[in-house]
Amino acid sequence: MTRTIVESKSKTAIIGFDQPFCVIGERINPTGRKKLAAELEAGDFSTVEKDALEQAACGATMLDVNAGVVYNSNPNPNETEPPLMTKMIELVQGLVDLPLCIDSSVPAALEAGLAAAHGRPLLNSVTGEEERLELVLPLVKKYNVPVVAISNDDTGISEDPDVRFEVAKKIVERAADYGIPAHDIVVDPLMMPIGAMATAGLQVFTLVRRLRDELGVNTTCGASNVSFGLPNRHGINAAFLPMAITAGMTSAIMNPVREAEMHAVRAANLLMNHDPHGAAWIKANKAPAVEGEAPAGARAGRENRRRRRG
């Protein structure tokens, strides 16, 4: 059974077909968040601190850390992003003990994050582009970490799911050339917006099954991409996640603060028998006790006895 092991200083998370769905908290990312980007350039990490603590409290398995800020004062991310990544990794690790996903398009920032991270983080990401393969796979091997493999290459992102599968297969094979096993590859088959491509959901579900059955790899995606541009995005996301889990997806970069989406994941874990004795579902949905009031089970028992006597 394929298992991808990620670790913090003292905690281990397992991504696998027989495991609870791995929720990778997406919030520590300045992309599309102008306020956070401005704060980071100014050396203000208060939002990062808040997002780390809140996502952990809401049940994230891992936290994605992205330092992709283009500074107004220096637009060269190769110079600015590596030290920022180091600072963010050190800060987040000081606040929460969750495994991390180090997320950057700048190889030097990836290596800076790897050098600063405790345990065994997930590296995000490598693509099928030749230059990217040659830069990132040696880092994966050097630090012995798992990596997210995104199914696009030098030709771009194909709308053909068969092409995206072949790109994923290429990355797995190239990783093997470096001695990186398939269980350390987590493929992102690229979730397209359903508003732009009506078949996007069906494509991903089919791709995930193929990736599981033919390549034996774990999978992930940016879950919120599915609803981009549509109303009630969180309703769509909450429907998409259990369907993806049923198809075999084992993790997602998503917002754990959104209650509807987390309830959907927990319910899917329960229904897939990945929640032993329903413990996580019960814990998440147990109403707080009210002083002087009997436990819910006792109240239900009394009501049943009254009905039987009636």
Side-chain angles (χ1 to χ4, degrees):
M1 185 65 71
T2 300
R3 291 187 170 187
T4 304
I5 307 297
V6 288
E7 297 172 327
S8 65
K9 193 171 186 177
S10 64
K11 288 188 177 178
T12 298
I14 302 173
I15 306 173
F17 307 129
D18 61 342
Q19 298 295 307
F21 192 70
C22 182
V23 174
I24 305 171
E26 70 179 5
R27 294 290 294 163
I28 306 174
N29 186 341
T31 305
R33 301 179 70 188
K34 292 182 180 180
K35 179 176 179 291
L36 176 56
E39 288 176 358
L40 292 174
E41 184 170 3
D44 177 0
F45 294 89
S46 56
T47 298
V48 173
E49 293 174 357
K50 173 182 173 292
D51 286 341
L53 293 168
E54 188 174 30
Q55 290 182 108
C58 289
T61 316
M62 302 173 58
L63 296 182
D64 186 84
V65 179
N66 183 305
V69 181
V70 177
Y71 287 178
N72 293 318
S73 57
N74 181 355
N76 184 355
N78 293 302
E79 295 178 0
T80 60
E81 197 169 327
L84 179 60
M85 179 66 83
T86 298
K87 173 68 176 177
M88 292 173 71
I89 292 286
E90 291 174 346
L91 175 66
V92 171
Q93 288 180 150
L95 293 170
V96 299
D97 188 22
L98 291 178
L100 301 181
C101 177
I102 301 170
D103 186 355
S104 179
S105 60
V106 177
L110 291 176
E111 184 153 25
L114 286 167
H118 299 151
R120 192 172 196 253
L122 176 65
L123 201 65
N124 189 7
S125 58
V126 68
T127 67
E129 297 164 292
E130 286 299 322
E131 182 180 6
R132 189 77 178 173
L133 288 165
E134 292 172 6
L135 288 170
V136 176
L137 290 181
L139 287 178
V140 175
K141 179 63 176 178
K142 176 181 175 181
Y143 288 90
N144 185 30
V145 294
V147 64
V148 174
I150 300 178
S151 298
N152 68 281
D153 60 12
D154 296 285
T155 65
I157 300 172
S158 175
E159 293 187 1
D160 184 340
D162 291 334
V163 172
R164 298 209 299 277
F165 177 85
E166 290 302 323
V167 174
K169 184 179 179 181
K170 169 187 171 181
I171 298 172
V172 171
E173 291 173 347
R174 290 288 291 275
D177 292 340
Y178 284 86
I180 301 164
H183 64 249
D184 275 341
I185 309 293
V186 181
V187 173
D188 181 346
L190 290 169
M191 184 65 240
M192 306 289 195
I194 196 78
M197 183 189 295
T199 59
L202 294 173
Q203 283 190 4
V204 161
F205 302 148
T206 300
L207 262 171
V208 166
R209 292 187 190 99
R210 287 193 68 191
L211 290 164
R212 176 193 62 193
D213 297 342
E214 297 180 38
L215 299 183
V217 293
N218 282 307
T219 46
T220 194
C221 73
S224 62
N225 290 351
V226 67
S227 61
F228 183 79
L230 292 172
N232 189 12
R233 294 188 65 186
H234 302 297
I236 297 171
N237 298 346
F240 165 75
L241 285 161
M243 295 175 75
I245 292 168
T246 304
M249 188 169 283
T250 47
S251 68
I253 300 172
M254 56 179 283
N255 187 351
V257 177
R258 295 296 179 179
E259 191 172 293
E261 292 162 45
M262 287 300 286
H263 278 318
V265 167
R266 292 189 182 105
N269 285 336
L270 179 67
L271 293 166
M272 295 289 288
N273 195 26
H274 295 161
D275 179 7
H277 311 294
W281 178 259
I282 293 167
K283 181 180 178 181
N285 291 279
K286 189 175 182 180
V290 177
E291 188 175 350
E293 185 174 301
R299 294 198 304 274
R302 287 201 298 267
E303 290 299 321
N304 286 334
R305 286 194 293 274
R306 288 193 193 106
R307 284 195 289 271
R308 286 198 296 272
R309 285 197 298 269

CSV table of all heavy atoms in Angstrom, one decimal, residues 72-115:
chain,number,residue,atom,x,y,z
A,72,ASN,N,7.8,45.4,-4.1
A,72,ASN,CA,7.9,46.6,-4.8
A,72,ASN,C,9.3,47.2,-4.8
A,72,ASN,O,9.8,47.8,-5.8
A,72,ASN,CB,6.9,47.6,-4.3
A,72,ASN,CG,5.4,47.2,-4.5
A,72,ASN,OD1,5.1,46.7,-5.5
A,72,ASN,ND2,4.6,47.4,-3.5
A,73,SER,N,10.0,47.0,-3.7
A,73,SER,CA,11.3,47.5,-3.5
A,73,SER,C,12.4,46.7,-4.2
A,73,SER,O,13.5,47.2,-4.6
A,73,SER,CB,11.7,47.6,-2.0
A,73,SER,OG,11.6,46.3,-1.4
A,74,ASN,N,12.1,45.4,-4.5
A,74,ASN,CA,13.0,44.6,-5.2
A,74,ASN,C,12.2,43.5,-5.9
A,74,ASN,O,11.8,42.5,-5.3
A,74,ASN,CB,14.0,44.0,-4.3
A,74,ASN,CG,15.1,43.1,-5.0
A,74,ASN,OD1,14.9,42.9,-6.2
A,74,ASN,ND2,16.0,42.6,-4.3
A,75,PRO,N,12.0,43.6,-7.2
A,75,PRO,CA,11.1,42.6,-7.9
A,75,PRO,C,11.8,41.3,-8.3
A,75,PRO,O,11.2,40.5,-9.0
A,75,PRO,CB,10.7,43.4,-9.2
A,75,PRO,CG,11.8,44.3,-9.4
A,75,PRO,CD,12.4,44.7,-8.1
A,76,ASN,N,13.0,41.1,-7.7
A,76,ASN,CA,13.7,39.8,-8.1
A,76,ASN,C,13.4,38.8,-7.0
A,76,ASN,O,14.1,38.8,-5.9
A,76,ASN,CB,15.2,40.1,-8.2
A,76,ASN,CG,15.9,38.8,-8.6
A,76,ASN,OD1,15.4,37.7,-8.8
A,76,ASN,ND2,17.2,39.0,-8.9
A,77,PRO,N,12.5,37.8,-7.2
A,77,PRO,CA,12.2,36.8,-6.1
A,77,PRO,C,13.3,35.9,-5.8
A,77,PRO,O,13.4,35.3,-4.7
A,77,PRO,CB,11.0,36.1,-6.7
A,77,PRO,CG,11.1,36.2,-8.2
A,77,PRO,CD,11.7,37.6,-8.4
A,78,ASN,N,14.3,35.8,-6.7
A,78,ASN,CA,15.4,34.9,-6.4
A,78,ASN,C,16.3,35.5,-5.3
A,78,ASN,O,17.0,34.7,-4.6
A,78,ASN,CB,16.3,34.8,-7.7
A,78,ASN,CG,15.6,34.0,-8.8
A,78,ASN,OD1,15.2,32.8,-8.6
A,78,ASN,ND2,15.4,34.6,-10.0
A,79,GLU,N,16.2,36.8,-5.1
A,79,GLU,CA,16.9,37.4,-4.0
A,79,GLU,C,16.1,37.5,-2.7
A,79,GLU,O,16.6,37.4,-1.6
A,79,GLU,CB,17.4,38.8,-4.4
A,79,GLU,CG,18.4,38.8,-5.6
A,79,GLU,CD,18.8,40.2,-6.0
A,79,GLU,OE1,18.3,41.2,-5.4
A,79,GLU,OE2,19.7,40.3,-6.9
A,80,THR,N,14.8,37.9,-2.9
A,80,THR,CA,14.0,38.2,-1.8
A,80,THR,C,13.3,37.0,-1.2
A,80,THR,O,13.0,36.9,0.1
A,80,THR,CB,12.9,39.2,-2.1
A,80,THR,OG1,12.1,38.7,-3.2
A,80,THR,CG2,13.5,40.5,-2.6
A,81,GLU,N,12.9,36.0,-2.0
A,81,GLU,CA,12.1,34.9,-1.5
A,81,GLU,C,12.8,33.9,-0.6
A,81,GLU,O,12.2,33.4,0.4
A,81,GLU,CB,11.4,34.1,-2.7
A,81,GLU,CG,10.3,33.3,-2.2
A,81,GLU,CD,9.4,32.8,-3.4
A,81,GLU,OE1,9.3,33.5,-4.4
A,81,GLU,OE2,8.9,31.6,-3.2
A,82,PRO,N,14.1,33.5,-0.9
A,82,PRO,CA,14.7,32.5,0.0
A,82,PRO,C,14.8,33.0,1.5
A,82,PRO,O,14.4,32.2,2.4
A,82,PRO,CB,16.1,32.4,-0.6
A,82,PRO,CG,15.9,32.6,-2.1
A,82,PRO,CD,14.9,33.7,-2.1
A,83,PRO,N,15.3,34.2,1.8
A,83,PRO,CA,15.3,34.6,3.2
A,83,PRO,C,13.9,34.7,3.8
A,83,PRO,O,13.7,34.5,5.0
A,83,PRO,CB,16.0,36.0,3.2
A,83,PRO,CG,16.0,36.5,1.8
A,83,PRO,CD,15.9,35.3,1.0
A,84,LEU,N,12.9,35.2,3.0
A,84,LEU,CA,11.5,35.2,3.5
A,84,LEU,C,11.0,33.8,3.8
A,84,LEU,O,10.3,33.6,4.9
A,84,LEU,CB,10.7,35.9,2.5
A,84,LEU,CG,9.2,36.1,2.9
A,84,LEU,CD1,9.0,36.9,4.2
A,84,LEU,CD2,8.4,36.7,1.8
A,85,MET,N,11.3,32.9,3.0
A,85,MET,CA,10.9,31.5,3.2
A,85,MET,C,11.4,31.0,4.5
A,85,MET,O,10.7,30.4,5.3
A,85,MET,CB,11.2,30.6,2.1
A,85,MET,CG,10.9,29.1,2.3
A,85,MET,SD,9.1,28.9,2.3
A,85,MET,CE,8.7,28.8,0.5
A,86,THR,N,12.7,31.2,4.7
A,86,THR,CA,13.4,30.8,6.0
A,86,THR,C,12.7,31.4,7.2
A,86,THR,O,12.4,30.7,8.2
A,86,THR,CB,14.9,31.2,6.0
A,86,THR,OG1,15.5,30.6,4.9
A,86,THR,CG2,15.5,30.8,7.3
A,87,LYS,N,12.4,32.7,7.1
A,87,LYS,CA,11.7,33.4,8.2
A,87,LYS,C,10.4,32.8,8.5
A,87,LYS,O,10.0,32.5,9.6
A,87,LYS,CB,11.6,34.9,7.9
A,87,LYS,CG,10.8,35.7,8.9
A,87,LYS,CD,11.5,35.8,10.3
A,87,LYS,CE,10.7,36.7,11.2
A,87,LYS,NZ,11.3,36.7,12.6
A,88,MET,N,9.6,32.6,7.4
A,88,MET,CA,8.2,32.0,7.6
A,88,MET,C,8.2,30.6,8.1
A,88,MET,O,7.4,30.3,9.0
A,88,MET,CB,7.5,32.1,6.3
A,88,MET,CG,7.2,33.5,5.8
A,88,MET,SD,6.5,33.7,4.2
A,88,MET,CE,4.9,33.0,4.4
A,89,ILE,N,9.1,29.8,7.6
A,89,ILE,CA,9.2,28.4,8.1
A,89,ILE,C,9.5,28.4,9.6
A,89,ILE,O,8.9,27.7,10.4
A,89,ILE,CB,10.3,27.6,7.3
A,89,ILE,CG1,9.8,27.4,5.9
A,89,ILE,CG2,10.6,26.3,8.0
A,89,ILE,CD1,8.7,26.4,5.7
A,90,GLU,N,10.5,29.2,10.0
A,90,GLU,CA,10.9,29.2,11.4
A,90,GLU,C,9.8,29.7,12.3
A,90,GLU,O,9.6,29.2,13.4
A,90,GLU,CB,12.2,30.1,11.6
A,90,GLU,CG,13.4,29.5,11.0
A,90,GLU,CD,14.6,30.4,11.0
A,90,GLU,OE1,14.5,31.6,11.2
A,90,GLU,OE2,15.8,29.9,10.7
A,91,LEU,N,9.1,30.7,11.8
A,91,LEU,CA,8.0,31.3,12.6
A,91,LEU,C,6.9,30.3,12.8
A,91,LEU,O,6.4,30.1,13.9
A,91,LEU,CB,7.5,32.5,11.9
A,91,LEU,CG,6.2,33.2,12.5
A,91,LEU,CD1,6.6,33.8,13.8
A,91,LEU,CD2,5.7,34.3,11.6
A,92,VAL,N,6.5,29.7,11.7
A,92,VAL,CA,5.3,28.7,11.7
A,92,VAL,C,5.7,27.5,12.6
A,92,VAL,O,4.9,27.1,13.5
A,92,VAL,CB,4.9,28.2,10.3
A,92,VAL,CG1,3.9,27.1,10.4
A,92,VAL,CG2,4.4,29.4,9.5
A,93,GLN,N,6.9,27.0,12.5
A,93,GLN,CA,7.3,25.9,13.3
A,93,GLN,C,7.4,26.3,14.8
A,93,GLN,O,7.2,25.4,15.7
A,93,GLN,CB,8.7,25.4,12.9
A,93,GLN,CG,8.8,24.7,11.6
A,93,GLN,CD,10.1,24.2,11.2
A,93,GLN,OE1,10.3,23.2,10.5
A,93,GLN,NE2,11.2,25.0,11.6
A,94,GLY,N,7.6,27.5,15.1
A,94,GLY,CA,7.6,28.0,16.5
A,94,GLY,C,6.2,28.1,17.1
A,94,GLY,O,6.1,28.1,18.3
A,95,LEU,N,5.2,28.1,16.2
A,95,LEU,CA,3.8,28.3,16.7
A,95,LEU,C,3.0,26.9,16.7
A,95,LEU,O,2.2,26.7,17.6
A,95,LEU,CB,3.1,29.2,15.8
A,95,LEU,CG,3.5,30.7,15.8
A,95,LEU,CD1,2.9,31.4,14.6
A,95,LEU,CD2,3.2,31.3,17.1
A,96,VAL,N,3.2,26.1,15.7
A,96,VAL,CA,2.5,24.8,15.6
A,96,VAL,C,3.4,23.7,15.3
A,96,VAL,O,4.4,23.9,14.6
A,96,VAL,CB,1.3,24.9,14.6
A,96,VAL,CG1,0.4,26.0,14.9
A,96,VAL,CG2,1.9,25.2,13.2
A,97,ASP,N,3.1,22.5,15.7
A,97,ASP,CA,3.9,21.3,15.4
A,97,ASP,C,3.2,20.5,14.4
A,97,ASP,O,2.7,19.4,14.8
A,97,ASP,CB,4.2,20.6,16.7
A,97,ASP,CG,5.3,19.5,16.5
A,97,ASP,OD1,6.0,19.6,15.5
A,97,ASP,OD2,5.3,18.5,17.3
A,98,LEU,N,3.0,21.0,13.2
A,98,LEU,CA,2.4,20.2,12.1
A,98,LEU,C,3.5,20.1,11.0
A,98,LEU,O,4.3,21.0,10.8
A,98,LEU,CB,1.2,20.9,11.6
A,98,LEU,CG,0.0,21.0,12.5
A,98,LEU,CD1,-1.1,21.8,11.8
A,98,LEU,CD2,-0.6,19.7,12.8
A,99,PRO,N,3.4,19.0,10.3
A,99,PRO,CA,4.3,18.9,9.1
A,99,PRO,C,4.0,20.0,8.1
A,99,PRO,O,2.9,20.5,8.0
A,99,PRO,CB,3.9,17.5,8.5
A,99,PRO,CG,3.4,16.8,9.7
A,99,PRO,CD,2.6,17.8,10.5
A,100,LEU,N,5.0,20.4,7.4
A,100,LEU,CA,4.9,21.5,6.5
A,100,LEU,C,5.0,21.1,5.0
A,100,LEU,O,5.6,20.1,4.7
A,100,LEU,CB,6.0,22.6,6.8
A,100,LEU,CG,5.9,23.2,8.2
A,100,LEU,CD1,7.0,24.2,8.3
A,100,LEU,CD2,4.6,23.8,8.5
A,101,CYS,N,4.4,21.9,4.2
A,101,CYS,CA,4.5,21.8,2.7
A,101,CYS,C,5.2,23.1,2.2
A,101,CYS,O,4.6,24.1,2.4
A,101,CYS,CB,3.1,21.6,2.1
A,101,CYS,SG,3.1,21.5,0.3
A,102,ILE,N,6.4,22.9,1.7
A,102,ILE,CA,7.2,24.1,1.3
A,102,ILE,C,6.9,24.4,-0.1
A,102,ILE,O,7.2,23.6,-1.0
A,102,ILE,CB,8.7,23.8,1.5
A,102,ILE,CG1,9.0,23.5,3.0
A,102,ILE,CG2,9.5,25.0,1.1
A,102,ILE,CD1,10.4,23.0,3.3
A,103,ASP,N,6.3,25.6,-0.4
A,103,ASP,CA,5.7,25.9,-1.7
A,103,ASP,C,6.3,27.1,-2.3
A,103,ASP,O,6.3,28.2,-1.8
A,103,ASP,CB,4.2,26.1,-1.4
A,103,ASP,CG,3.4,26.3,-2.6
A,103,ASP,OD1,4.0,26.3,-3.7
A,103,ASP,OD2,2.2,26.5,-2.5
A,104,SER,N,7.0,26.8,-3.5
A,104,SER,CA,7.6,27.9,-4.2
A,104,SER,C,7.9,27.5,-5.6
A,104,SER,O,8.2,26.4,-5.9
A,104,SER,CB,8.9,28.4,-3.5
A,104,SER,OG,9.5,29.4,-4.2
A,105,SER,N,8.0,28.5,-6.5
A,105,SER,CA,8.4,28.3,-7.9
A,105,SER,C,9.9,28.7,-8.0
A,105,SER,O,10.5,28.5,-9.1
A,105,SER,CB,7.6,29.2,-8.8
A,105,SER,OG,7.8,30.6,-8.5
A,106,VAL,N,10.5,29.1,-6.9
A,106,VAL,CA,11.9,29.5,-6.9
A,106,VAL,C,12.8,28.4,-6.2
A,106,VAL,O,12.6,28.2,-5.0
A,106,VAL,CB,12.1,30.9,-6.1
A,106,VAL,CG1,13.6,31.3,-6.0
A,106,VAL,CG2,11.3,32.0,-6.8
A,107,PRO,N,13.6,27.7,-7.0
A,107,PRO,CA,14.4,26.6,-6.4
A,107,PRO,C,15.2,27.0,-5.2
A,107,PRO,O,15.3,26.2,-4.2
A,107,PRO,CB,15.3,26.2,-7.5
A,107,PRO,CG,14.5,26.5,-8.8
A,107,PRO,CD,13.8,27.8,-8.4
A,108,ALA,N,15.8,28.2,-5.2
A,108,ALA,CA,16.6,28.6,-4.0
A,108,ALA,C,15.7,28.8,-2.8
A,108,ALA,O,16.1,28.6,-1.7
A,108,ALA,CB,17.3,30.0,-4.3
A,109,ALA,N,14.4,29.2,-3.0
A,109,ALA,CA,13.5,29.3,-1.8
A,109,ALA,C,13.1,27.9,-1.3
A,109,ALA,O,13.0,27.7,-0.1
A,109,ALA,CB,12.3,30.1,-2.2
A,110,LEU,N,13.0,27.0,-2.2
A,110,LEU,CA,12.7,25.6,-1.8
A,110,LEU,C,13.8,25.1,-1.0
A,110,LEU,O,13.6,24.5,0.1
A,110,LEU,CB,12.5,24.7,-3.0
A,110,LEU,CG,11.2,24.9,-3.9
A,110,LEU,CD1,11.3,24.0,-5.1
A,110,LEU,CD2,10.0,24.7,-3.1
A,111,GLU,N,15.0,25.3,-1.4
A,111,GLU,CA,16.2,24.8,-0.6
A,111,GLU,C,16.3,25.5,0.7
A,111,GLU,O,16.6,24.9,1.7
A,111,GLU,CB,17.5,24.9,-1.4
A,111,GLU,CG,18.6,24.3,-0.7
A,111,GLU,CD,19.7,23.7,-1.5
A,111,GLU,OE1,19.9,24.2,-2.7
A,111,GLU,OE2,20.5,22.8,-1.1
A,112,ALA,N,16.0,26.8,0.7
A,112,ALA,CA,16.1,27.6,2.0
A,112,ALA,C,15.0,27.0,3.0
A,112,ALA,O,15.3,26.8,4.2
A,112,ALA,CB,15.8,29.0,1.7
A,113,GLY,N,13.8,26.7,2.5
A,113,GLY,CA,12.8,26.1,3.3
A,113,GLY,C,13.2,24.7,3.8
A,113,GLY,O,13.0,24.4,5.0
A,114,LEU,N,13.8,23.9,2.9
A,114,LEU,CA,14.2,22.6,3.3
A,114,LEU,C,15.3,22.7,4.4
A,114,LEU,O,15.3,21.9,5.4
A,114,LEU,CB,14.8,21.8,2.1
A,114,LEU,CG,13.7,21.3,1.1
A,114,LEU,CD1,14.4,20.9,-0.2
A,114,LEU,CD2,12.9,20.2,1.7
A,115,ALA,N,16.2,23.6,4.3
A,115,ALA,CA,17.3,23.8,5.3
A,115,ALA,C,16.7,24.2,6.7
A,115,ALA,O,17.3,23.8,7.7
A,115,ALA,CB,18.3,24.8,4.8
